[in-house]
Amino acid sequence: MTDQQPPAWYLAVQQRARDEAANVPEATAQATQYVVSCVPEGHINRHHFTLNVAYRGNGSWAVIDAPHCLSVNGTWDFEHVPSERTDEWIADHRFDLDTALRLAKEQAPLITVNGHTVSDVLALREKRAGRHG
């Protein structure tokens, strides 16, 4: 098997990017998601008992339990693709960061999965730790 070279146009674009890099604004970094959970990091089932606070642009954040999104009235609604979200829906499901984090922290202890609560998962972990510790 031989190594294939990228097409000439691709190599030319890469070179142009290198040549222009000094004139491009400095790159920025932005946090766009927080993980909120009552289950400790490293727990095998943590991902099931986790909410995400996700940046949705223009300073707004959503509380996500995929594929659901928390509304201002505390209900979980299906989050449609962006092209299907009305302005009213967006207003009801977007928050400033502090509010979104507060709401996610309030909701995190209430998560249930297949009939198990956060307390069930934590108790099982303690039981297993006692058995193996």
Side-chain angles (χ1 to χ4, degrees), residues 42-60:
H43 188 286
I44 191 169
N45 289 315
R46 184 173 198 237
H47 65 283
H48 294 296
F49 291 87
T50 295
L51 300 175
N52 292 298
V53 173
Y55 186 66
R56 291 296 195 245
N58 298 319
S60 67

Side-chain angles (χ1 to χ4, degrees), residues 32-37 50-56 60-72 74-79 85 89-90 92-109 111:
T32 59
Q33 183 165 297
Y34 292 85
V35 175
V36 179
S37 183
T50 295
L51 300 175
N52 292 298
V53 173
Y55 186 66
R56 291 296 195 245
S60 67
W61 295 78
V63 180
I64 305 294
D65 186 4
H68 299 97
C69 188
L70 188 65
S71 72
V72 295
T75 61
W76 291 95
D77 299 316
F78 182 77
E79 185 173 39
R85 299 176 195 156
W89 191 93
I90 291 171
D92 286 344
H93 295 84
R94 299 295 182 259
F95 310 94
D96 62 76
L97 178 58
D98 290 340
T99 301
L101 288 171
R102 178 181 54 78
L103 292 171
K105 288 177 180 180
E106 290 173 1
Q107 292 292 316
I111 298 172

